[in-house]
Coordinates of all heavy atoms in Angstrom, one line a residue:
F66 N 18.9 -14.4 -19.0 CA 18.3 -15.0 -17.9 C 17.0 -15.6 -18.3 O 16.1 -14.9 -18.6 CB 18.1 -14.2 -16.7 CG 19.5 -13.8 -16.1 CD1 20.1 -12.5 -16.4 CD2 20.0 -14.5 -15.1 CE1 21.3 -12.1 -15.9 CE2 21.2 -14.2 -14.5 CZ 21.9 -13.1 -15.0
V67 N 16.9 -16.9 -18.6 CA 15.7 -17.5 -19.0 C 14.7 -17.7 -17.8 O 15.0 -18.5 -17.0 CB 15.9 -18.9 -19.6 CG1 14.7 -19.6 -20.1 CG2 16.9 -18.7 -20.9
R68 N 13.9 -16.8 -17.7 CA 12.8 -16.7 -16.7 C 11.4 -16.5 -17.3 O 10.9 -15.3 -17.1 CB 13.2 -15.7 -15.6 CG 14.6 -15.7 -15.0 CD 14.5 -16.9 -14.0 NE 15.8 -16.8 -13.1 CZ 17.0 -17.2 -13.5 NH1 17.2 -17.8 -14.7 NH2 18.1 -17.1 -12.7
P69 N 10.8 -17.5 -17.8 CA 9.5 -17.2 -18.4 C 8.5 -16.9 -17.2 O 8.4 -17.7 -16.2 CB 9.3 -18.5 -19.2 CG 10.0 -19.5 -18.5 CD 11.3 -18.8 -18.1
T70 N 7.6 -15.8 -17.4 CA 6.6 -15.6 -16.4 C 5.2 -15.3 -17.2 O 5.2 -15.0 -18.5 CB 6.9 -14.4 -15.7 OG1 7.3 -13.2 -16.5 CG2 8.2 -14.7 -14.8
T71 N 4.2 -15.4 -16.5 CA 2.9 -15.1 -17.1 C 2.1 -13.8 -16.5 O 1.2 -13.5 -17.0 CB 2.0 -16.3 -16.9 OG1 1.7 -16.5 -15.5 CG2 2.6 -17.5 -17.4
G72 N 2.7 -13.5 -15.3 CA 2.0 -12.4 -14.6 C 1.1 -13.0 -13.6 O 0.5 -12.1 -12.8
L73 N 0.9 -14.3 -13.5 CA -0.1 -14.9 -12.6 C 0.7 -15.2 -11.2 O 0.1 -15.7 -10.3 CB -0.7 -16.2 -13.2 CG -1.5 -15.9 -14.4 CD1 -1.9 -17.4 -14.9 CD2 -2.5 -14.9 -14.3
E74 N 2.2 -15.1 -11.3 CA 2.8 -15.4 -10.1 C 2.5 -14.5 -9.0 O 2.2 -13.4 -9.1 CB 4.3 -15.4 -10.5 CG 4.7 -16.4 -11.5 CD 4.5 -15.9 -13.0 OE1 4.1 -14.7 -13.0 OE2 4.9 -16.6 -13.9
R75 N 2.8 -15.0 -7.7 CA 2.8 -14.1 -6.6 C 3.9 -13.1 -6.6 O 5.1 -13.4 -7.2 CB 3.0 -14.9 -5.2 CG 1.8 -15.9 -5.0 CD 1.6 -16.3 -3.6 NE 3.1 -16.3 -2.9 CZ 3.8 -17.4 -2.5 NH1 3.1 -18.6 -2.7 NH2 4.9 -17.4 -2.0
Q76 N 3.6 -11.8 -6.2 CA 4.6 -10.8 -6.4 C 5.9 -11.2 -5.5 O 7.0 -10.7 -5.9 CB 4.0 -9.4 -6.0 CG 3.1 -8.9 -6.9 CD 2.9 -7.4 -6.8 OE1 3.7 -6.8 -6.3 NE2 1.7 -6.9 -7.5
D77 N 5.8 -11.6 -4.3 CA 7.0 -12.0 -3.6 C 7.9 -13.0 -4.4 O 9.1 -12.9 -4.3 CB 6.7 -12.7 -2.2 CG 5.9 -14.0 -2.4 OD1 5.0 -14.0 -3.2 OD2 6.0 -14.8 -1.5
L78 N 7.3 -13.9 -5.1 CA 8.1 -14.9 -6.0 C 8.9 -14.2 -7.1 O 9.9 -14.4 -7.4 CB 7.3 -16.0 -6.5 CG 6.6 -16.9 -5.5 CD1 5.8 -17.9 -6.2 CD2 7.7 -17.5 -4.6
L79 N 8.1 -13.1 -7.8 CA 8.8 -12.3 -8.7 C 9.9 -11.5 -8.2 O 11.0 -11.4 -8.8 CB 7.8 -11.4 -9.4 CG 6.6 -12.1 -10.2 CD1 5.6 -11.3 -10.6 CD2 7.2 -12.8 -11.4
V80 N 9.7 -10.8 -7.1 CA 10.7 -10.1 -6.4 C 11.9 -11.0 -6.1 O 13.2 -10.6 -6.3 CB 10.2 -9.4 -5.2 CG1 11.4 -8.8 -4.3 CG2 9.2 -8.4 -5.5
A81 N 11.7 -12.1 -5.6 CA 12.8 -13.1 -5.3 C 13.7 -13.5 -6.5 O 14.8 -13.6 -6.5 CB 12.2 -14.4 -4.6
A82 N 12.8 -13.7 -7.7 CA 13.5 -14.0 -8.9 C 14.4 -12.8 -9.4 O 15.5 -13.1 -9.8 CB 12.5 -14.4 -10.0
L83 N 13.9 -11.7 -9.3 CA 14.8 -10.5 -9.6 C 15.9 -10.3 -8.8 O 17.1 -10.0 -9.2 CB 14.0 -9.3 -9.6 CG 13.0 -9.1 -10.7 CD1 11.9 -7.9 -10.4 CD2 13.6 -8.8 -12.1
L84 N 15.8 -10.6 -7.5 CA 16.9 -10.5 -6.6 C 18.0 -11.6 -6.9 O 19.2 -11.3 -6.9 CB 16.5 -10.6 -5.1 CG 15.9 -9.5 -4.4 CD1 15.3 -9.8 -3.0 CD2 16.8 -8.4 -4.4
D85 N 17.6 -12.8 -7.3 CA 18.4 -13.8 -7.7 C 19.1 -13.4 -8.9 O 20.4 -13.7 -9.1 CB 17.6 -15.1 -8.1 CG 18.5 -16.2 -8.4 OD1 19.4 -16.7 -7.6 OD2 18.3 -16.8 -9.5
I86 N 18.5 -12.8 -9.9 CA 19.2 -12.3 -11.0 C 20.2 -11.3 -10.7 O 21.3 -11.2 -11.2 CB 18.1 -11.7 -12.1 CG1 17.4 -12.9 -12.7 CG2 18.8 -11.0 -13.2 CD1 16.1 -12.5 -13.5
G87 N 19.7 -10.2 -9.9 CA 20.7 -9.2 -9.5 C 22.0 -9.7 -8.8 O 23.0 -9.3 -9.0
R88 N 21.8 -10.7 -8.0 CA 22.9 -11.1 -7.2 C 23.9 -12.0 -8.1 O 25.2 -12.0 -8.0 CB 22.4 -12.1 -6.0 CG 21.8 -11.4 -4.8 CD 21.0 -12.2 -4.0 NE 20.3 -11.5 -3.0 CZ 19.2 -11.9 -2.2 NH1 18.7 -13.1 -2.6 NH2 18.7 -11.1 -1.4
S89 N 23.3 -12.7 -9.2 CA 24.1 -13.3 -10.1 C 24.8 -12.3 -11.0 O 26.0 -12.5 -11.4 CB 23.2 -14.1 -11.2 OG 22.5 -15.2 -10.4
I90 N 24.3 -11.2 -11.3 CA 25.1 -10.1 -12.0 C 26.3 -9.7 -11.3 O 27.3 -9.4 -11.7 CB 24.1 -8.9 -12.4 CG1 23.2 -9.5 -13.5 CG2 24.9 -7.8 -13.0 CD1 21.9 -8.4 -13.8
G91 N 26.1 -9.4 -9.9 CA 27.1 -9.2 -9.0 C 27.6 -7.8 -8.8 O 28.6 -7.5 -8.2
A92 N 26.7 -6.8 -9.4 CA 27.1 -5.4 -9.3 C 25.7 -4.6 -9.3 O 24.8 -5.1 -9.8 CB 28.1 -5.1 -10.3
P93 N 25.8 -3.5 -8.6 CA 24.7 -2.6 -8.8 C 24.3 -2.5 -10.3 O 25.1 -2.2 -11.1 CB 25.0 -1.2 -8.1 CG 26.1 -1.7 -7.2 CD 26.9 -2.8 -7.8
C94 N 22.9 -2.5 -10.6 CA 22.6 -2.7 -11.9 C 21.3 -1.7 -12.2 O 20.5 -1.5 -11.3 CB 22.1 -4.2 -12.1 SG 21.4 -4.6 -13.7

Side-chain angles (χ1 to χ4, degrees):
F66 291 90
V67 179
R68 300 288 194 279
T70 57
T71 64
L73 303 179
E74 300 85 0
R75 296 200 327 255
Q76 288 202 17
D77 61 324
L78 298 179
L79 293 171
V80 169
L83 285 171
L84 286 175
D85 181 60
I86 291 171
R88 290 162 183 160
S89 296
I90 292 171
C94 179

